[in-house]
């Protein structure tokens, strides 16, 4: 079993993972030796803070071991991906990979003899969304019937949030005036619409009205953030997206939880006072990456 996208997991499996994460958070000592003797290869083509830390620290805290593998300093950079991953999977009990292309992740899953976990690609970010749903359940005491407004670019996080919410019984409205074409998955959107829990709108005031959670994300994917070739597109996005910034003017006296998967760009997708405000659960959400990574590891490696 792999975790490439939440589309492949049933509602029951998603809900189990959320409950398991909450139990691990509450009783970490019960899991101290759960992965004793197990090893995880962590392959990164892109930068990361939370994904690397959550899986590496998660393995250590459960008695296992994680090996960080930078794409550029391993022979992944110069050899056939299938051969390298087949070889890597002979050493470890699981592979977690952050790659530029979902197609590479699928090749890795085919070649690997052990479970492969998606640590974020251009289409999906399933591990992030498990942590997000854990945070919602922890803070609200339930998931069924909650309403989430995602305001931002339609990207990989947006895709996985749509799937995760609809599988967990959460209503979601997306306000996404800009679509990241590389991320778009029409089948995912159509399947979500069919659940009756998902809608799209460009009326941001109406979307955030009465919702339980307001969620945003970066307007520019990490691999393009410092890329001078992307500068024009970045300027275009900032212009199009600034009217959709999460700020006090938009939210008024709303008591919705404020969520962001990080890294944050204050003054762009979200105003500084929203990050620091009483309703912000951004740093709890970030910490929950650790507990939910442990739940994913337990499910797939044990
Ligand atoms: N949210 C998230 O995946 O964080 P990193 O990119 O730092 O891993």
């Amino acid at each position: 079993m792999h975790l490439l996208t939440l589309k492949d997991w049933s509602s029951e499996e998603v809900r189990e993972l959320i409950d398991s994460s909450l139990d691990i958070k509450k009783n970490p000592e019960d899991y101290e030796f759960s992965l004793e003797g197990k090893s995880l290869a962590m392959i990164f083509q892109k930068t990361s803070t939370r994904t690397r830390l959550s899986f590496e620290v998660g393995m250590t805290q459960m008695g296992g071991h994680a090996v960080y593998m930078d794409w550029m300093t391993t022979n992944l950079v110069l050899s056939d991906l299938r051969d390298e991953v087949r070889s890597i999977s002979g050493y470890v009990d699981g592979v977690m990979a952050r790659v530029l292309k979902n197609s590479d992740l699928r090749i890795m899953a085919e070649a690997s003899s052990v479970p492969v976990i998606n640590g974020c690609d251009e289409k999906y970010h399933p591990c992030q969304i498990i942590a997000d749903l854990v945070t919602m359940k922890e803070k609200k005491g339930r998931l069924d019937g909650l309403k989430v407004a995602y305001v931002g670019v339609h990207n990989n996080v947006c895709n996985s949030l749509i799937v995760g919410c609809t599988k967990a019984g959460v209503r979601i409205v997306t306000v996404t005036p800009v679509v990241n074409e590389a991320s778009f998955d029409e089948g995912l959107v159509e399947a979500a619409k069919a659940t009756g829990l998902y809608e799209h709108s460009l009326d941001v005031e109406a979307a955030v009205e009465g919702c339980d959670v307001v969620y945003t994300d970066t307007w520019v994917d990490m691999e393009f953030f410092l890329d001078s070739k992307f500068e024009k597109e970045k300027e275009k996005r900032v212009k199009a997206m600034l009217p959709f910034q999460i700020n006090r003017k938009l939210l008024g006296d709303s008591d919705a939880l404020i969520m962001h998967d990080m890294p944050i760009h204050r003054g762009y997708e979200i105003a500084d006072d929203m990050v620091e405000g009483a309703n912000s659960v951004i740093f709890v959400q970030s910490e929950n990456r650790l507990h939910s990574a442990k739940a994913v590891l337990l499910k797939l490696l044990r």
Side-chain angles (χ1 to χ4, degrees), residues 44 46-54 98 119-120 125 127-128 132 157 215 217 222 260-263 285-286 289:
F44 283 88
K46 302 192 273 183
T47 54
S48 170
T49 302
R50 283 144 291 276
T51 304
R52 177 178 177 179
L53 274 172
S54 58
R98 169 167 285 192
C120 188
H125 197 355
C127 297
Q128 177 63 50
D132 300 340
V157 168
Y215 192 122
D217 184 23
M222 64 188 84
H260 189 309
D261 55 304
M262 304 182 83
Q285 182 185 358
S286 163
R289 287 294 307 272

Side-chain angles (χ1 to χ4, degrees), residues 96-139:
M96 189 276 288
R98 169 167 285 192
V99 291
L100 290 161
K101 296 270 175 222
N102 179 261
S103 51
D104 274 352
L105 196 79
R106 296 206 168 266
I107 290 170
M108 292 167 99
E110 274 173 29
S112 172
S113 57
V114 298
V116 173
I117 300 165
N118 186 351
C120 188
D121 59 36
E122 89 285 18
K123 286 195 180 299
Y124 313 113
H125 197 355
C127 297
Q128 177 63 50
I129 274 47
I130 297 298
D132 300 340
L133 292 165
V134 167
T135 309
M136 291 176 208
K137 187 157 187 182
E138 181 182 17
K139 292 290 173 190

Side-chain angles (χ1 to χ4, degrees), residues 63-296:
H65 176 63
V67 183
Y68 176 73
M69 301 180 73
D70 175 3
W71 189 269
M72 298 305 286
T73 58
T74 60
N75 285 331
L76 283 156
V77 74
L78 52 82
S79 183
D80 184 275
L81 181 57
R82 279 180 191 81
D83 290 341
E84 287 299 295
V85 172
R86 189 171 160 192
S87 166
I88 289 166
S89 69
Y91 291 78
V92 295
D93 303 283
V95 173
M96 189 276 288
R98 169 167 285 192
V99 291
L100 290 161
K101 296 270 175 222
N102 179 261
S103 51
D104 274 352
L105 196 79
R106 296 206 168 266
I107 290 170
M108 292 167 99
E110 274 173 29
S112 172
S113 57
V114 298
V116 173
I117 300 165
N118 186 351
C120 188
D121 59 36
E122 89 285 18
K123 286 195 180 299
Y124 313 113
H125 197 355
C127 297
Q128 177 63 50
I129 274 47
I130 297 298
D132 300 340
L133 292 165
V134 167
T135 309
M136 291 176 208
K137 187 157 187 182
E138 181 182 17
K139 292 290 173 190
K140 291 286 183 183
R142 68 190 166 94
L143 288 173
D144 281 305
L146 291 184
K147 183 186 166 198
V148 173
Y150 172 89
V151 183
V153 170
H154 189 121
N155 59 11
N156 47 4
V157 168
C158 177
N159 276 340
S160 292
L161 192 65
I162 291 170
V163 183
C165 283
T166 52
K167 294 217 173 201
V170 175
R171 285 192 295 145
I172 174 164
V173 55
T174 58
V175 183
T176 53
V178 173
V179 175
N180 189 20
E181 291 301 333
S183 309
F184 197 68
D185 179 341
E186 195 173 344
L188 177 151
V189 168
E190 291 309 315
K193 278 184 189 158
T195 66
L197 293 170
Y198 169 60
E199 61 181 300
H200 179 260
S201 169
L202 284 180
D203 186 344
V204 67
E205 280 90 7
V208 300
E209 175 87 33
C211 67
D212 300 288
V213 174
V214 175
Y215 192 122
T216 192
D217 184 23
T218 181
W219 294 336
V220 178
D221 280 8
M222 64 188 84
E223 59 266 40
F224 299 116
F225 213 83
L226 302 173
D227 184 348
S228 57
K229 293 198 285 299
F230 204 76
E231 206 52 45
K232 272 213 163 72
E233 176 63 22
K234 206 159 125 183
E235 277 171 27
K236 211 167 94 188
R237 287 193 183 188
V238 169
K239 200 167 163 211
M241 293 303 303
L242 263 179
F244 296 85
Q245 184 190 67
I246 302 305
N247 55 35
R248 179 53 56 203
K249 184 167 172 274
L250 172 66
L251 290 184
D253 58 4
S254 161
D255 62 357
L257 300 179
I258 303 299
M259 297 183 69
H260 189 309
D261 55 304
M262 304 182 83
I264 300 166
H265 309 288
R266 295 178 189 229
Y268 289 91
E269 67 270 12
I270 189 164
D272 191 52
D273 60 336
M274 288 285 110
V275 178
E276 301 298 341
N279 294 333
S280 168
V281 293
I282 293 169
F283 291 92
V284 178
Q285 182 185 358
S286 163
E287 188 204 305
N288 282 340
R289 287 294 307 272
L290 172 62
H291 311 298
S292 57
K294 285 179 167 181
V296 169

